[in-house]
Amino acid sequence: SLARGTAPFCVVPATAGGEAVAGALAQGGGVAVYKVGRHFDAVASTLKANGRPSVYVAKAGLDDQVIAPLNEVEDGPKPYFSTVIVAPPEGDA
């Protein structure tokens, strides 16, 4: 589940910067970071340091869609509307 009990589910654009992504992570609950594009390396670094399981999604619903664990995705720019979904912390209620 991306939002358990009363925990929030935050949606934040990568274009808002690392502080916005870190702030969403600090709220607890699940997080979706969208418009990853050229911000992928910074976003991935922040999310990997946080340690929560994360999944990268690009071109969702298209024949060439990509869905992979974040830690298996190579560095470098990604399609603009790529998204990373972050699981809530264990024990969130």
Side-chain angles (χ1 to χ4, degrees):
S1 172
L2 292 175
R4 298 180 184 120
T6 60
F9 178 73
C10 297
V11 179
V12 60
T15 56
E19 288 183 21
V21 174
L25 291 168
Q27 296 296 315
V31 177
V33 183
Y34 67 103
K35 294 186 180 178
V36 172
R38 63 186 171 95
H39 305 280
F40 176 79
D41 292 350
V43 167
S45 177
T46 298
L47 297 179
K48 288 175 184 177
N50 183 270
R52 289 198 255 164
S54 302
V55 175
Y56 169 79
V57 180
K59 300 181 180 180
L62 301 177
D63 289 339
D64 58 345
Q65 76 179 2
V66 176
I67 301 172
L70 182 63
N71 61 0
E72 295 179 9
V73 179
E74 293 183 18
D75 290 342
K78 303 296 179 232
Y80 180 70
F81 285 112
S82 298
T83 299
V84 179
I85 306 296
V86 184
E90 288 295 318
D92 253 8

